[in-house]
Amino acid sequence: MLALAFAGLTLALIYTEIARLFRPYTALSPAQLTALVNREDAVVVDLSASGDFEKGHIAGSRNVQASALGPEHKLLAVAKERPVVVVCRSGQASADAAAKLKKAGFTRVHWLDGGIAAWQQAGLPLVKGRG
């Protein structure tokens, strides 16, 4: 039984790593996100619920609901060639949204690995209010 469980976990780990290598968007650390915003004027899209966004978000980010995210969104329509970084609280919802944007034709899509939680863990500040 233990050998079977070990084999299952090993296969799951291998699958996860292969999927990570072939995903269509780039994962960023908080430091990489800061550099991308400063150097290339990246558009930061926060998928958090409005209440969570008001409690704390990355400076300069724009709150967009995941259901409204797409190439026709007014914020994103002008940013098709600029770097777009998708952020959420934990990093899970933003990974799905990043894949959706890449499929919609955005060329430079990124995702904050670990989300706002990773941002806070790196000791970086959040802004309160509507932004």
Side-chain angles (χ1 to χ4, degrees):
M1 285 295 252
L2 288 175
L4 188 59
F6 179 73
L9 287 173
T10 302
L11 287 174
L13 182 62
I14 291 170
Y15 172 78
T16 302
E17 287 302 309
I18 290 173
R20 184 184 63 81
L21 289 173
F22 290 106
R23 65 182 169 214
Y25 50 87
T26 307
L28 297 177
S29 68
Q32 290 170 315
L33 170 58
T34 302
L36 190 63
V37 168
N38 290 336
R39 290 186 190 133
E40 300 185 45
D41 195 27
V43 176
V44 181
V45 177
D46 192 325
L47 302 177
S48 302
S50 296
D52 289 337
F53 183 80
E54 290 179 14
K55 289 178 186 174
H57 57 273
I58 297 170
S61 65
R62 299 291 176 240
N63 189 225
V64 176
Q65 297 307 310
S67 60
L69 189 67
E72 66 283 346
H73 191 279
K74 64 182 178 182
L75 171 67
L76 297 175
V78 297
K80 204 155 191 165
E81 298 302 319
R82 286 172 55 195
V84 176
V85 182
V86 188
V87 177
C88 67
R89 291 290 145 190
S90 65
Q92 297 304 313
S94 57
D96 294 338
K100 181 179 173 184
L101 286 176
K102 190 69 175 180
K103 194 178 272 189
F106 285 79
T107 56
R108 301 179 64 201
V109 180
H110 305 277
W111 157 73
L112 179 59
D113 191 9
I116 296 293
W119 183 266
Q120 288 179 300
Q121 190 175 15
L124 296 168
L126 293 176
V127 177
K128 295 183 190 244
R130 295 199 49 81

